[in-house]
Amino acid sequence: MDGSERLIDDRAELVDEAATERLLPPAAALKRRRRWPKRVAIGLAAVLGLLAAFYLAALYSVWQAGRADEARKVDAIVVLGAAQYDGRPSPQLAARLDHALDLYQRGFSPRVFVTGGKQPLDRFTEAQSEARYLEDRGVPAEAILQESQGRTSWESLNAVAGTLSGQGLRSVLLVSDPYHAERIKGMASDLGLQAYVSSTRTSPVSGFSAFRHMLKEAGGVAAARVVGWDRLTNWTE
């Protein structure tokens, strides 16, 4: 091989090496590319951590509200409806009514507001069955107010707020199951009521079933703190 051929081979080798170097990314760029998946993972972990903390805070609020008894003198005791069977309250609803009856007899309010509509083919509304139950146990009919159109807690409490405000009344003592307390108190407050809660302690919904309800309620409470109860109810009903 003469000198000219060796020169050509050397130049070709240099060209190949230069081309290879151009194809390889700079060290800094390569390092940044390696960091990108890690940064995404850290960001996702941070977001999930914040969401978990937000949910746990709501869960604690639901648990705490269910344990609290804020019984005091108010304008009206409000019973949130539950299932009824042809005019007879279900055991869950009866437990709420028994507690409301006790509060009424102890003089916390001169009136009891019962709530709840009816399912298709039902002959009676939840409110009608509640009113009859209380009357049979000595509560005068004139001391019982009825809201019989609501299909949700929001609809019932909205009607209660409208009726009470028309009479110049505002403070309420809400009666339901413990897992329900934080939600209904939040709704009532959003509707302009001065709301307190006093949950029944004799509900048949207890143990793991009550815990499942509490987990679900915590999700609703967390979401409502972001979008508001009225909007959340419209989305979920």
Side-chain angles (χ1 to χ4, degrees), residues 180-211:
H180 202 194
E182 178 71 2
R183 174 157 65 100
I184 57 177
K185 185 176 182 179
M187 289 180 176
S189 298
D190 275 3
L191 290 165
L193 293 170
Q194 184 179 347
Y196 307 96
V197 292
S198 182
S199 302
T200 177
R201 302 300 169 191
T202 60
S203 174
V205 181
S206 58
F208 183 70
S209 179
F211 181 67

Side-chain angles (χ1 to χ4, degrees), residues 47-221:
V47 171
L48 291 175
L50 289 173
L51 290 175
F54 192 58
Y55 174 81
L56 289 174
L59 182 60
Y60 177 76
S61 296
V62 171
W63 173 77
Q64 189 176 48
R67 294 175 67 245
D69 187 353
E70 301 175 335
R72 66 195 66 198
K73 289 196 173 185
V74 292
D75 295 325
I77 298 165
V78 180
V79 184
L80 275 296
Q84 60 85 31
Y85 309 118
D86 199 32
R88 180 174 57 86
S90 64
Q92 183 181 14
L93 182 54
R96 298 179 186 184
L97 291 167
D98 289 339
H99 186 59
L101 177 63
D102 178 62
L103 294 171
Y104 172 80
Q105 291 173 338
R106 289 163 62 191
F108 286 110
S109 179
R111 59 186 66 82
V112 182
F113 211 137
V114 293
T115 68
K118 64 179 181 178
Q119 300 298 320
L121 304 181
D122 280 353
R123 293 197 304 157
F124 303 95
T125 65
E126 293 171 6
Q128 287 174 320
S129 68
E130 293 168 67
R132 179 183 297 178
Y133 186 94
L134 292 174
E135 287 180 40
D136 289 345
R137 285 154 181 79
V139 181
E142 59 270 21
I144 302 173
L145 300 173
Q146 295 187 42
E147 181 288 308
S148 58
Q149 301 299 319
R151 296 181 300 106
T152 66
S153 297
W154 175 266
E155 291 177 353
S156 292
L157 289 171
N158 190 28
V160 168
T163 299
L164 292 180
S165 64
Q167 300 179 21
L169 306 175
R170 182 167 176 262
S171 62
V172 294
L173 189 55
L174 304 171
V175 175
S176 189
D177 283 63
Y179 61 80
H180 202 194
E182 178 71 2
R183 174 157 65 100
I184 57 177
K185 185 176 182 179
M187 289 180 176
S189 298
D190 275 3
L191 290 165
L193 293 170
Q194 184 179 347
Y196 307 96
V197 292
S198 182
S199 302
T200 177
R201 302 300 169 191
T202 60
S203 174
V205 181
S206 58
F208 183 70
S209 179
F211 181 67
R212 286 192 299 106
H213 280 290
M214 190 168 64
L215 293 176
K216 181 180 178 182
E217 290 289 326
V221 169

